Amino acid sequence: MMLFENGIATKHCFDTDTGGTKTLRQKSTKQRREAIADHVYRAVCDVERMNKMFPQDPHLNFFTDFSDDVAELRAAEKMKGEGDGSEAA
């Protein structure tokens, strides 16, 4: 199945919003996590390379704890839902 996020087609084994079996939902969740891990790995490698290529500049950091980001996005989603009369998840 192809899902579109920000105009980019992303292949998913299953859309978790439409039901399906427990196994397919687990597979979809695992697939999403693997994609995120790949992006984080690439970002960490990019930061390491930039720090190596530009040692005279202040070193960059890439924090892999996304708890604050999730909380911030959840709060923004909730505020958006309250503002337009719809319910946020």
Side-chain angles (χ1 to χ4, degrees):
M1 164 180 282
M2 296 298 282
L3 296 179
F4 291 88
E5 294 180 17
N6 299 323
I8 299 170
T10 305
K11 187 172 183 169
H12 289 276
C13 64
F14 188 72
D15 181 1
T16 56
D17 289 341
T18 58
T21 66
K22 177 182 175 184
T23 302
L24 286 174
R25 289 189 299 270
Q26 286 175 334
K27 186 174 181 180
S28 181
T29 301
K30 181 178 184 265
Q31 186 179 37
R32 172 78 67 161
R33 182 173 177 78
E34 288 171 349
I36 292 167
D38 182 63
H39 286 285
V40 169
Y41 173 71
R42 290 297 330 142
V44 168
C45 290
D46 289 347
V47 166
E48 289 171 350
R49 175 122 175 106
M50 285 184 270
N51 286 338
K52 181 179 177 183
M53 296 300 295
F54 303 99
Q56 70 281 5
D57 291 348
H59 274 214
L60 302 171
N61 293 308
F62 188 90
F63 300 104
T64 56
D65 180 355
F66 293 95
S67 301
D68 290 343
D69 301 275
V70 170
E72 184 178 313
L73 291 169
R74 187 165 282 150
E77 197 172 76
K78 184 177 180 182
M79 286 181 64
K80 181 180 176 189
E82 290 173 355
D84 65 11
S86 66
E87 255 184 53

